[in-house]
Amino acid sequence: MNVRAAWGMWCTGGLLAAAACTSPDPVRPKGLPGGSTPSTVEYSFQELVWQDEFDQPGLPDAAKWGYDEGGSGWGNKELQYYTKARAENARVENGTLVLEARREALHPGNAYTSARLVSLGGGSQLYGRFEIRAQLPGGRGIWPAIWMLPDNWQYGNKGWPDNGEIDIMEYVGYDPGIVHASTHCNKYYFRTNNQKTATIQVPDATTAYHVYAVEWTPEKITAFVDDKAYFTSANEHSGWEAWPWDQPFHLLLNVAVGGEWGGAKGIDDAAFPQRMVIDYVRIYRMKAK
């Protein structure tokens, strides 16, 4: 979700967002077999270690989800205000999580509201498979994302992009049917226009559910839609500048409005409200075969 990661920390008060998302006991991978090196190891992702099936109506489970709150633009000139524990923007209904962007000016300077959830209580892990089944919102000016940030900001500038970002799914409403996956770090990120990224066509992304996933190992990060791999970011073994993904990361789910990318073609106010509907979120442990 590019530079909004940095402003997700600083605009809500220091490292508030990062601290809020840190799991007290992030899941770590099993050890490598004796004599193996990362480049020669194969991995499986069969052990389910954290999940939310969204089967309890009401607000999202407070033991599993926190909120990033605010409306300062998030470093991308976004126009929404992210609310906290407000059912109009984030709720569980009919066995799904609904994140809803609305055209309403509840806060000065923001003509829209929405929600940005962060995973808690074990929803943080070093390596593994992160899998989300979702139906995406559409409409010009809408910018949903399913992505990941680190629990701790230990490298370089102690912020973004030095500590990494994994974009499992991004979608901009003015470019229908195209889903993006990316990674950002000190050496490769969107402000220098050299981020590692790829796209896949999903023509019914806004009318049907699809499974968006990444499999993350010490050697690479691979993105999938419905188990079709279409993007890989490989470890160059050149240091943290190109591979900060050796520490636990947590999930973020949000629907942005406008912004430098999402709002590049303007905003269709007639399209509101728009909802990202999530059937489940599942995290699997990585295990060396």
Side-chain angles (χ1 to χ4, degrees):
M1 205 65 178
N2 55 62
V3 77
R4 72 177 60 199
W7 284 81
M9 296 183 294
W10 310 124
C11 292
T12 55
L15 293 176
L16 175 60
C21 303
T22 303
S23 166
D25 186 22
V27 178
R28 295 183 178 274
K30 305 283 189 182
L32 299 179
S36 298
T37 61
S39 60
T40 62
V41 173
E42 294 183 354
Y43 301 96
S44 64
F45 308 92
Q46 301 298 316
E47 183 184 354
L48 181 63
V49 293
W50 191 90
Q51 67 190 115
D52 198 337
E53 305 293 328
F54 305 112
D55 52 7
Q56 294 297 321
L59 291 174
D61 187 343
K64 294 182 177 181
W65 300 101
Y67 300 84
D68 281 343
E69 183 181 1
S72 58
W74 300 91
N76 293 298
K77 301 180 181 178
E78 297 167 30
L79 302 179
Q80 79 288 336
Y81 188 96
Y82 285 132
T83 64
K84 180 179 180 180
R86 182 173 185 257
E88 290 87 345
N89 299 117
R91 61 189 178 274
V92 176
E93 63 183 21
N94 301 319
T96 62
L97 171 67
V98 178
L99 301 183
E100 183 169 313
R102 301 165 64 93
R103 187 186 176 209
E104 54 181 356
L106 296 185
H107 296 268
N110 299 101
Y112 309 89
T113 63
S114 189
R116 171 163 142 165
L117 270 57
V118 294
S119 60
L120 303 170
S124 166
Q125 182 167 281
L126 171 63
Y127 310 133
R129 178 179 170 93
F130 299 75
E131 179 180 300
I132 300 92
R133 185 172 185 260
Q135 180 176 310
L136 307 183
R140 185 165 42 88
I142 299 296
W143 182 5
I146 301 168
W147 54 304
M148 301 173 67
L149 286 176
D151 292 359
N152 301 299
W153 302 76
Q154 60 188 358
Y155 293 126
N157 64 4
K158 310 301 182 185
W160 189 94
D162 290 10
N163 289 271
E165 173 180 333
I166 301 170
D167 295 323
I168 300 172
M169 184 290 303
E170 286 190 278
Y171 188 84
V172 288
Y174 68 77
D175 192 16
I178 304 297
V179 167
H180 303 250
S182 310
T183 57
H184 301 269
C185 60
N186 173 278
K187 188 174 180 180
Y188 305 106
Y189 72 110
F190 89 104
R191 289 295 185 197
T192 53
N193 200 33
N194 67 344
Q195 75 272 25
K196 296 182 179 182
T197 189
T199 62
I200 187 172
Q201 292 189 2
V202 186
D204 60 349
T206 62
T207 58
Y209 286 94
H210 294 275
V211 176
Y212 302 96
V214 294
E215 292 180 357
W216 168 26
T217 76
E219 290 301 303
K220 61 185 178 180
I221 296 166
T222 305
F224 303 81
V225 173
D226 298 331
D227 285 328
K228 179 179 180 180
Y230 72 100
F231 167 71
T232 297
S233 179
N235 188 349
E236 300 176 356
H237 299 284
S238 60
W240 64 263
E241 294 87 351
W243 187 264
W245 297 288
D246 57 359
Q247 56 182 318
F249 273 55
H250 56 267
L251 285 165
L252 298 95
L253 313 171
N254 66 270
V255 180
V257 180
E260 293 174 271
W261 187 21
K265 304 288 187 181
I267 299 172
D268 179 9
D269 282 338
F272 289 86
Q274 285 291 325
R275 303 174 184 90
M276 180 159 66
V277 185
I278 298 171
D279 182 31
Y280 64 73
V281 177
R282 297 172 183 169
I283 300 177
Y284 296 84
R285 190 194 304 271
M286 182 194 78
K287 184 177 180 180
K289 293 182 178 178

